[in-house]
Each structure stands twice: as structure tokens, then as C-alpha cells.
Amino acid sequence: MKVYEVLLIYKPMIDNLKNLNIGIDYAKYIDLYNEFIRLKSEGHKITYIASHLATEYEVSERMVYNVVDKFEKEI
């Protein structure tokens, strides 16, 4: 399969993501967000979770908060 063919198949979905201001680069943070939900359900404080995930996923704490805000946004 060629890149063109993949883009042709997924163009409607990509266009929808673009219209909703959701970059496809956020897909790499799905595991981070799943871990955030798990730690939050276990009763950990948000500041601890952000610090822990920033270290574990090698991103800034601000990025953790940005990911959480983006993933929890109603569309």
C-alpha cells in the first residue's frame, strides 16, 4: 500500500480531526492519558500524577496538563 492510498482512505477522518482542532500527533499520548485516568481513579492527586507522567513519558508537566485538557474537551 502506498502513502497516497492510506491518505485517500483516511482523508475524511483526518479532515474531521483538523476541523475539531485535534492534531493527529496527540495519538502518541493515548497511553499517557490512560495512565492518568488509572492513577486518578486510584485517588492520587493531580499534581503528583502530572509530575509522575512527565517523568515517565519524558514530557513537561505542562504537556501532561495540555493532553488532559485536550482529551477531556467535549466536541
Side-chain angles (χ1 to χ4, degrees):
M1 182 175 278
K2 296 183 180 185
V3 171
Y4 169 77
E5 295 167 329
V6 171
L7 290 173
L8 187 62
I9 291 168
Y10 291 104
K11 185 180 182 320
M13 185 182 306
I14 294 169
D15 289 342
N16 283 337
L17 290 171
K18 184 178 177 184
N19 290 337
L20 294 170
N21 196 27
I22 303 171
I24 58 173
D25 54 321
Y26 272 89
K28 65 184 173 187
Y29 298 117
I30 291 174
D31 292 337
L32 182 149
Y33 185 70
N34 285 335
E35 187 76 4
F36 174 85
I37 292 171
R38 183 184 67 78
L39 291 170
K40 188 176 174 185
S41 72
E42 291 176 0
H44 296 285
K45 295 187 178 203
I46 303 294
T47 53
Y48 165 76
I49 296 171
S51 176
H52 172 73
L53 293 177
T55 302
E56 185 175 331
Y57 288 91
E58 298 178 348
V59 296
S60 67
E61 287 184 33
R62 182 69 250 155
M63 183 53 130
V64 173
Y65 288 116
N66 286 344
V67 168
V68 170
D69 288 344
K70 180 70 84 171
F71 281 28
E72 293 184 348
K73 181 180 176 185
E74 288 289 330
I75 55 171

